[in-house]
Amino acid sequence: MNYVIERAAQDEQQPEMRAVYGEELVRLAEEDERIVVLDADLMRANGTVCFRDRFPERTFDMGVAEANMVGVAAGLSATGLIPFPASFSCFAARRTFDQFFLSANYARQNVKLTGSDPGVAAAYNGGTHMSFEDLGLMRTIPGIVICEPADPVSLRSLLPQIAFRRGSSYLRLHRKPVTPIYAPSETFELGKGKVLCEGSDLTIIAAGAILVAEAIAAAELLEEKGVSATVIDMHTIKPLDEDLLVRWARTTGAVLTAENHQVQGGLGSAVAEVLGEHCPVPHIRVGVQDEFGEVGTQQYLQERFGLTAENITNQARRLVEKKTGTHRERKGA
């Protein structure tokens, strides 16, 4: 496999994503006094305690009142500040949706909403906290940017772009340590996917800390079985990198999407929309199949919902067989 970037060391102690988030906000706030942080009684969970300690006058704990938090953030934005409100993704998306839609986005404000512990990362918090639908909700908002970094390096690169791009955004943030993907020198651009390896049989498009790592592992398993896969980290779900998607769909003739989300409404749906309009090819969506979440370890939940390298591998082989069959049918016709 020809990786575009150098894989980071796997045996080093990895920082938590929430710690990187808080540290990066402190760094940005030291450069720009407009940056403020709002939280809904989850500062330790979301990693923003360091921001409160450094900038207590620019930190607002709104209590367990997420919708009000977003409304206040929109008001702060109207005064010229750059607010970063945060909560667990189930609350950030579902509970604040009307306020975020109207007060932040419809009103053309500059609110940087963060939803942490998406999907199966909620683990023991269970089905009530397991956001398998947040991307589907957020994708319906006009003009929004939606981003899900895969590791600390990509988070550090993308967060400043989110901060200083005018307009509201939704950051889907894994909290715990994750498999490192990128070397420290790697750079990213909002709206531009990152090709991790190049293959000829199918394209695997993944997003987020869990599924990008699983997609890379699946590509390695597929290579052992004689299947050549391109892997793309589609860290920006909206706006989607349509040019990159179409180019690789045409090159490989088949696309598999993998996401820590319902297959409806999220990355898989976004990709299917583009393929349907510009490049119809066989497409399989790996993700949660129209179910609610449940309690368990992250590993158990990944296996329970098929969010594993093994399932991606199996689905990819099925997709390649489907592509071959479709090609034969067309040739025979």
Side-chain angles (χ1 to χ4, degrees):
M1 305 196 102
N2 296 315
Y3 287 101
V4 175
I5 46 88
E6 177 186 351
R7 293 290 302 280
Q10 299 288 321
D11 56 353
E12 297 176 358
Q13 183 65 35
Q14 300 302 322
E16 292 189 321
M17 290 284 276
R18 60 182 166 185
V20 174
Y21 175 71
E23 292 165 5
E24 189 64 22
L25 284 178
V26 169
R27 187 187 70 78
L28 294 173
E30 288 172 343
E31 298 176 2
D32 194 319
E33 63 183 10
R34 295 175 298 165
I35 292 177
V36 297
V37 163
L38 298 87
D39 218 304
D41 203 29
L42 287 171
M43 284 188 179
R44 293 193 184 281
N46 289 329
T48 54
V49 170
C50 61
F51 191 97
R52 181 199 63 190
D53 293 344
R54 177 67 177 83
F55 299 107
E57 75 286 357
R58 291 156 65 180
T59 306
F60 306 92
D61 191 336
M62 307 305 296
V64 186
E66 294 86 358
N68 183 55
M69 174 183 69
V70 169
V72 170
L76 292 171
S77 172
T79 71
L81 299 176
I82 304 175
F84 278 81
S87 187
F88 290 152
S89 57
C90 56
F91 304 134
R94 295 199 300 256
R95 193 166 294 177
T96 76
F97 185 74
D98 192 46
Q99 284 75 12
F100 188 52
F101 187 100
L102 292 174
S103 298
N105 288 273
Y106 182 79
R108 302 291 193 272
Q109 295 304 326
N110 196 27
V111 176
K112 316 300 183 180
L113 181 61
T114 295
S116 65
D117 259 10
V120 295
Y124 288 122
N125 281 332
T128 58
H129 286 53
M130 213 154 283
S131 56
F132 292 154
E133 67 294 311
D134 56 323
L135 293 178
L137 286 168
M138 294 300 174
R139 283 185 60 231
T140 64
I141 301 177
I144 193 174
V145 163
I146 303 172
C147 184
E148 186 172 7
D151 76 346
V153 173
S154 55
L155 175 59
R156 289 187 191 277
S157 179
L158 291 163
L159 194 60
Q161 298 176 54
I162 291 170
F164 299 122
R165 171 198 171 274
R166 177 68 195 181
S168 294
S169 62
Y170 179 65
L171 175 67
R172 205 171 192 244
L173 179 69
H174 196 94
R175 290 194 302 142
K176 304 296 177 59
V178 301
T179 301
I181 304 297
Y182 297 102
S185 60
E186 194 68 23
T187 59
F188 300 78
E189 182 180 349
L190 276 176
K192 299 295 182 183
K194 180 74 73 172
V195 179
L196 296 172
C197 59
E198 299 183 5
S200 58
D201 293 321
L202 81 155
T203 300
I204 301 174
I205 299 176
I210 296 174
L211 268 302
V212 171
E214 295 293 332
I216 293 171
E220 294 169 346
L221 291 172
L222 287 165
E223 186 175 46
E224 295 173 2
K225 301 177 185 297
V227 177
S228 174
T230 292
V231 177
I232 297 174
D233 174 3
M234 197 66 80
H235 51 75
T236 307
I237 291 96
K238 188 175 180 179
L240 198 71
D241 191 344
E242 295 187 8
D243 291 341
L244 183 68
L245 166 58
V246 171
R247 182 165 73 250
W248 279 103
R250 287 175 176 160
T251 298
T252 63
V255 173
L256 182 148
T257 48
E259 59 189 315
N260 178 24
H261 188 273
Q262 295 278 10
V263 293
Q264 300 94 343
L267 175 65
S269 288
V271 167
E273 290 162 12
V274 174
L275 294 178
E277 292 182 357
H278 302 291
C279 184
V281 297
H283 174 205
I284 286 179
R285 294 173 295 167
V286 170
V288 179
Q289 303 292 323
D290 198 30
E291 295 186 80
F292 293 108
E294 61 184 64
V295 174
T297 65
Q298 182 179 304
Q299 184 58 44
Y300 162 78
L301 292 166
Q302 284 186 238
E303 294 171 0
R304 162 72 175 79
F305 293 109
L307 311 181
T308 63
E310 289 74 16
N311 187 45
I312 294 172
T313 300
N314 293 335
Q315 297 301 324
R317 295 180 73 185
R318 184 164 74 89
L319 180 61
V320 171
E321 291 173 1
K322 180 179 179 181
K323 180 186 79 166
T324 303
T326 301
H327 175 72
R328 287 172 180 166
E329 289 174 6
R330 288 176 179 170
K331 187 175 181 181

